[in-house]
Amino acid sequence: MRNTRTGAGICLAVGLLALATPAAVAADPAGEQTIHISPRSASPGSLVTVSTRACGKETYGKGTSEAAGAFHLFEGERKGVLVGEFEVPDDAKPGTDTVTVKCPPRIQMTDTYRIADRTPSGGVAAGFSVPVNHGAQLAAGSVLLAGAAAGAVFRMRRRAASARD
């Protein structure tokens, strides 16, 4: 009896999912009224690509990024897909940026992407170079190393003494 209820619950959940899926597909049949922004999270100085199929047979579209300004979309490698690029300004603040794409005659779409904090640049101090101004760290490390060596010697002498007895 318990298995019957569990099975009925699973069937009900699967049925609800099956009914919800066609409604989601019907709202945007081919994904044509959307713009795709890549990457979804970009740091200042990086290149952002915007593409869409919403312009139909048009071979040109205009885009605007609140952070980067205007850019153009031209027909890409696939027929019916317009592609444009812009660079996130170096002084862009972290947060979201709104991108708007317009195609003739009256098609306009808007989407957002995230502007991330600036990516780190330069090398990381990994201990493979000559230390600069690390006198206190070297002294503390030397003391810890000497203490560990003294403890190891003391332990070996103690074991040797107990083995003789």
Side-chain angles (χ1 to χ4, degrees):
M1 183 70 166
R2 186 177 200 165
N3 288 339
T4 304
R5 282 190 229 151
T6 304
I10 291 172
C11 288
L12 181 63
V14 170
L16 288 174
L17 286 173
L19 290 174
T21 302
V25 172
D28 192 11
E32 293 182 2
Q33 295 299 315
T34 60
I35 57 177
H36 302 281
I37 302 173
S38 178
R40 295 301 295 180
S41 180
S43 58
S46 61
L47 195 63
V48 175
T49 302
V50 178
S51 62
T52 185
R53 297 182 62 91
C55 297
K57 295 180 181 178
E58 294 293 329
T59 58
Y60 176 75
K62 291 182 180 181
T64 306
S65 161
E66 288 181 354
F71 62 97
H72 303 281
L73 290 94
F74 298 102
E75 192 168 33
E77 293 178 12
R78 295 186 322 187
K79 189 171 179 90
V81 178
L82 297 185
V83 180
E85 294 179 333
F86 63 89
E87 186 175 321
V88 179
D90 288 332
D91 61 348
K93 303 289 184 223
T96 57
D97 180 25
T98 301
V99 175
T100 302
V101 172
K102 296 178 183 178
C103 305
R106 293 186 188 125
I107 298 173
Q108 179 174 331
M109 299 150 295
T110 303
D111 198 1
T112 60
Y113 72 99
R114 185 175 168 272
I115 298 176
D117 287 335
R118 181 172 288 285
T119 55
S121 63
V124 177
F128 297 114
S129 63
V130 178
V132 180
N133 298 328
H134 292 109
Q137 292 175 351
L138 284 174
S142 299
V143 168
L144 289 173
L145 186 58
V153 170
F154 179 74
R155 181 185 283 170
M156 287 191 313
R157 286 187 179 172
R158 193 171 189 193
R159 285 186 184 167
S162 66
R164 280 187 248 147
D165 292 336

